[in-house]
Each structure stands twice: as structure tokens, then as C-alpha cells.
Amino acid sequence: MKHSEHRRKGFSEIGIITTILLFLVPGGKFFVTVPTAMEEFIEGDKMEEMEEVFREQSIELDEYVRNAALTPPVDTAAESTGNLLKGLPLGLFDSLVLTTEEKAHMGDMEAQNELGWMYDTGEGMPENVEEAVKWYRKAAEQGNSVAQANLAWMYEKGRGVSLDLQLAVEWYSKAAEQGLPRAQNNLGVLYEYGTGVPKDEKKAVEFYTKAAEQGYIIAQTNLGWMYENGRGVRQNDRKAVEWYRTAAEQGDSRAQTNLGWMYENGRGLRRDEKKAVEWYRKAAEQGNLYAQTNLGWMYESGSGVDKDETKAAEWYRRAAEQGHARAQTNLAWLYQNGLGVPQSDEEAVGWYTVAAEQGDPRAQTNIGWMYEKGRGVPQDDKEAAEWYRLAAEQGYATAQSNLGWMYQNGKGVPQSDTDAYKWFSLAAEQGNASAQSNLGWVYENGKGVRKDMKKALEWYRKAAEQGDDFAQKALERLAPQK
């Protein structure tokens, strides 16, 4: 038979799903209704027995209610529970289960927090962030630390309430004082960035430490980063590695990526590119785009693994498709040069463009070069100069050198020896060999600056030491004749 065909007569026939039990409150002034999950009894052997008991007590109940107002107040709480359940079998309600919603309405703070979460996520309830806030608040005001942290997060993000960072800090603080590690970590983040509170990196470290020592993985990674960068605490690579490893071994992809970087660069431990690859791979396989990009680079350069440009392209693509600008630039470079992928200037321009539009200076420089040379796009010096300028203003040396050359030759910009000198100087000071060589020529010929052979030789020499051919030939040309 189908489930519905097992319904018994009596209460089930008139469609009653929930039975209301009435208990006389001390003093006989009013009654409390207790919702019950009675459907489970309808399917069992106990329902028939209950129905019989309830029938026998119905007359007593009617009489009891009629006379309740006339009954004098009782002196003991025990007498106020009433006798309506007499005669029911012992253990009849042992399997009674109230829903989360019922418990929440009865004041159970854990249920209130859970109900808030259900409304917040749409799991088990229609998503309704205002209702979520309502129930989080009820539980939070009773002192539930998890609800306090949840309510703080709603205020921090302006979810279901107006964004209010002060209230977010207040509720996180209440939860943190009770030792909730998530609240401690989140409060640490607010102090680290000065969000809703004055920026205080020492306090951030303090809260991260409290959460990290309780095993909160995100805080362990955050604390590692603070030690690595000397933020709010004395710089200590060994401590950074210690916390990164603790979190990485628990599967945190950000910690795994950072630990891989420490191995790759020999920070806080002996350099080990194979170990770096191992940790990058663990994080990359979880979808961490930074690890995917780093692993791509290890394959491209043959560091810690056999060189494999095809695999490099695969890993770059995974990160690029997630919007990571450095991966997009690296993938574009492979397309430009036909490394690990079929050569395609059009594909290169496409990836350079999406990265350049995110502000990546290397992509901006390279797309500028594509416009300058007419590779994958119509040749356009003005467009080239605009892209070079965007990167140059971010301090990218190659773009500064290229922009200097555009000014020197009047390509895409008005010819200006003064501006050429300016951009060559900025790039040369950063060690760009091409700019150093060009700056030597500027001093040798007095273009945009007073002629100075001593400085010309100085800059030619620096460029020549890096293998610049023009500078090497200039030094040979200017060498004293014997």
C-alpha cells in the first residue's frame, strides 16, 4: 500500500497533523500550547491507544477548562502541570521530534541561530536575509557566540541590514570574548585593514594568534603572512613557515601556495624547488589560481620539474579563465611565441588585453608593443604610446624605456628629448639595460640634457655589463686610441 493508505481512523480522518496539548499554568489564568510532531505516531501502533485515552479524557478536559477560572491559585508548581496525560503509556513521547522552527519559536538559541542560517543560505527554508538577521539577533542577544559572529558578518557585508561596520565590530567582539575563533580571526582582519576600527596590526596579530592557537586554519595562514611580511610583529620567516605548514597540512590552499613560495625562494627554510612544486600542485588542484599560475611558471622554466611548456599553458589557462591577470599575461606570451600552444598573435592580443584592462603593467607593455609592431592588431603608434604610459606610470621599467624611445623618435607622441631623458632615467635607475644604453647615448649627444661624456661612459658600461650590444659597441667606439 502507499504511505497515505496506512492512515488510521479517529484524529487522522479529520486531517489533524499537529495535536495541541494544554497544560494549566500556575494560577489557572491561561493555557500554554505546545506544538508537537505527531505525524510519526499516526503511522505507529501507539496512535490507536492514544486516541482511546484522549476520547476518555475529552469529557474531563471540557469540564476542566470550564472550571479553570473558578479554581483558586495553587501553591506548588508540581500541581500546576495538570493531570491530562494520566494513563498514557510510559515513554510514549520519547521519539517526539520538534522541528528547528518550533524550537526557535520556543526560545532555543541554538535553533534560532540554525534557523537564521537556513534563511541566510536557503537551505531548508526560502532564502530571506531579513529573516536570517531576525533569528541571528534573537540568538545573539541570548549570548550565542556563533549567532553573534553571524550577525556581525551580516552587518559587515550589509546583508539583510544596512552596512554598519561599528555594529559588526561590536558583535564580533562579543563573540571573540567568548573565545569563538572565527570571530577572533574576522576581528583581526578588521584591525589589519582598519575597517570599522583604527588600523592596528599589532591587535590584528593578537586576534589571529588567539584563533590560530585554537586550530582555526584561516587565522593560521593570516598569522603566517604577518610574520612573513613583518606586519604587527617582528619579521620572522621561520615563524611564517611554521604557521603556513600547520595550515597547509590541514588542506588550506592559500597556506599551501605560500609554503610553496617559501620553498621556491628559500625563505625560512632551505630552497627546494621540488617541494615548491609539490605544495603548488596541492593548492592548484583545489583551484587556487595563484598556485596554478606559479605551477605553470615552474613548468615553463623547468624549475623543480622537467620543462614542459604544454603543461605550463594548461595551468596558466586554468588560472587565466578565473581572471588572474598574471596568468593571462603568461598565457598570452606563450601564444605570442608559439610555446606549448600554436602561435597566434590574435590569441596573444586577446589575453594581453583582458590582463591589461585589469591594470597588469606587463600586459599593458606587451599590448603596447603589439600595437607598435602591428602584431595581431593594426599598427598604431598612438595606441602603443598610451599603453606604454599606463604601465610606465606604475613604475614598470620596460614600459618607461619604451615610452622614452617613443618620445625620442616622435612616435605616437610629440617628439621631446626632455621627456625621453625623463623616462630613460627612471627605467635606467631600475636597472633596465636598454634604458641605460639609451641614456648613455643621450649624455653622449647632449639630447635633452647637457652633454657629459663621463656619464655617457658610466651608463654605457652598466648596460654593457648586462650584455647590451649597442652599449658594448659604443664602449669600443669611445675607447681611447692607442
Side-chain angles (χ1 to χ4, degrees):
M1 289 185 176
K2 293 182 180 178
H3 181 77
S4 61
E5 292 177 19
H6 286 285
R7 299 283 183 178
R8 293 186 181 275
K9 297 180 180 180
F11 284 83
S12 58
E13 276 186 342
I14 60 175
I16 295 178
I17 296 175
T18 303
T19 301
I20 304 300
L21 302 179
L22 302 179
F23 292 81
L24 186 62
V25 171
K29 300 296 184 182
F30 58 95
F31 293 86
V32 176
T33 62
V34 182
T36 60
M38 295 296 293
E39 284 186 318
E40 59 186 276
F41 291 106
I42 295 174
E43 305 301 331
D45 293 336
K46 297 178 181 179
M47 191 62 203
E48 188 172 292
E49 185 177 357
M50 285 183 63
E51 289 173 349
E52 184 61 32
V53 172
F54 284 153
R55 288 190 192 97
E56 292 173 357
Q57 292 190 353
S58 61
I59 297 175
E60 180 184 352
L61 176 60
D62 289 340
E63 185 67 23
Y64 196 84
V65 171
R66 278 196 299 272
N67 296 329
L70 303 176
T71 304
V74 295
D75 294 328
T76 64
E79 294 178 14
S80 70
T81 59
N83 297 310
L84 294 182
L85 299 182
K86 66 182 181 182
L88 292 180
L90 186 65
L92 180 63
F93 291 100
D94 286 352
S95 62
L96 187 67
V97 178
L98 297 179
T99 67
T100 299
E101 188 174 14
E102 288 171 336
K103 290 179 182 178
H105 280 284
M106 293 170 68
D108 185 314
M109 66 180 180
E110 290 184 2
Q112 289 171 339
N113 177 65
E114 185 179 348
L115 185 57
W117 182 86
M118 291 166 72
Y119 277 117
D120 193 0
T121 62
E123 295 286 335
M125 282 292 192
E127 185 173 335
N128 186 326
V129 291
E130 288 77 16
E131 278 293 304
V133 168
K134 166 187 165 182
W135 289 107
Y136 284 152
R137 190 185 308 281
K138 286 179 181 292
E141 288 175 348
Q142 289 196 70
N144 184 284
S145 62
V146 177
Q148 290 170 341
N150 289 344
L151 183 58
W153 191 88
M154 301 298 270
Y155 275 115
E156 181 186 352
K157 303 301 178 183
R159 185 173 168 81
V161 287
S162 298
L163 189 147
D164 191 325
L165 294 173
Q166 279 67 43
L167 282 175
V169 170
E170 180 181 322
W171 284 111
Y172 278 141
S173 297
K174 289 178 184 291
E177 286 168 4
Q178 294 192 65
L180 187 74
R182 177 163 64 93
Q184 293 167 336
N185 175 76
N186 291 2
L187 202 52
V189 173
L190 296 182
Y191 274 109
E192 181 183 348
Y193 293 99
T195 306
V197 290
K199 185 172 182 176
D200 190 332
E201 291 177 339
K202 287 185 178 180
K203 276 194 174 181
V205 168
E206 178 184 324
F207 282 113
Y208 287 152
T209 302
K210 288 180 179 180
E213 288 176 347
Q214 292 190 70
Y216 195 69
I217 299 173
I218 297 173
Q220 293 170 341
T221 303
N222 290 346
L223 186 57
W225 191 89
M226 300 297 272
Y227 274 112
E228 180 191 340
N229 294 280
R231 303 282 292 275
V233 69
R234 185 185 296 274
Q235 199 280 336
N236 189 323
D237 283 339
R238 290 185 179 276
K239 278 282 188 182
V241 167
E242 176 185 324
W243 284 113
Y244 284 153
R245 190 183 302 281
T246 300
E249 289 176 348
Q250 296 179 77
D252 184 73
S253 69
R254 189 161 60 97
Q256 291 169 340
T257 302
N258 292 357
L259 184 59
W261 190 89
M262 300 296 272
Y263 270 114
E264 182 185 353
N265 293 278
R267 294 275 300 273
L269 35 65
R270 181 176 297 179
R271 185 179 181 185
D272 189 331
E273 291 179 335
K274 289 185 177 179
K275 282 282 187 182
V277 168
E278 177 185 325
W279 286 109
Y280 284 151
R281 191 183 306 280
K282 287 178 185 290
E285 289 174 349
Q286 292 190 65
N288 185 289
L289 53 85
Y290 300 100
Q292 291 170 340
T293 303
N294 291 356
L295 185 57
W297 168 248
M298 301 301 273
Y299 274 112
E300 183 183 350
S301 62
S303 304
V305 288
D306 293 335
K307 187 171 183 176
D308 190 330
E309 288 157 341
T310 300
K311 284 188 177 179
E314 290 174 2
W315 285 111
Y316 286 151
R317 189 181 303 280
R318 291 193 191 189
E321 289 175 348
Q322 293 189 68
H324 192 225
R326 184 161 63 92
Q328 292 167 342
T329 303
N330 291 356
L331 183 59
W333 173 258
L334 295 184
Y335 272 113
Q336 180 184 337
N337 294 281
L339 301 173
V341 290
Q343 197 284 330
S344 172
D345 286 341
E346 290 72 21
E347 282 284 341
V349 167
W351 286 112
Y352 280 145
T353 301
V354 293
E357 289 173 348
Q358 292 189 68
D360 184 86
R362 188 161 62 95
Q364 291 170 338
T365 304
N366 291 358
I367 192 67
W369 187 88
M370 300 296 274
Y371 274 108
E372 182 187 346
K373 303 301 180 183
R375 293 274 301 271
V377 287
Q379 198 281 334
D380 189 331
D381 285 336
K382 186 176 180 181
E383 189 75 11
E386 288 178 4
W387 283 114
Y388 287 152
R389 187 182 304 281
L390 288 172
E393 289 175 348
Q394 293 189 67
Y396 194 67
T398 303
Q400 292 171 335
S401 179
N402 291 358
L403 185 57
W405 188 90
M406 301 294 274
Y407 273 112
Q408 187 179 60
N409 294 277
K411 297 285 189 179
V413 289
Q415 197 282 332
S416 172
D417 289 333
T418 302
D419 283 324
Y421 168 74
K422 167 191 169 182
W423 291 111
F424 284 149
S425 296
L426 290 171
E429 292 290 350
Q430 293 190 67
N432 183 278
S434 179
Q436 292 170 339
S437 181
N438 287 337
L439 191 57
W441 186 90
V442 165
Y443 275 113
E444 180 186 354
N445 294 277
K447 296 291 186 178
V449 67
R450 179 177 296 182
K451 186 174 181 178
D452 188 327
M453 290 305 297
K454 184 179 179 181
K455 285 189 175 180
L457 289 171
E458 179 185 327
W459 286 112
Y460 279 145
R461 193 171 290 113
K462 288 182 178 182
E465 288 171 356
Q466 295 191 66
D468 186 87
D469 184 64
F470 181 85
Q472 290 170 344
K473 290 178 179 177
L475 288 174
E476 291 175 8
R477 174 171 52 80
L478 296 172
Q481 297 295 320
K482 292 183 179 180

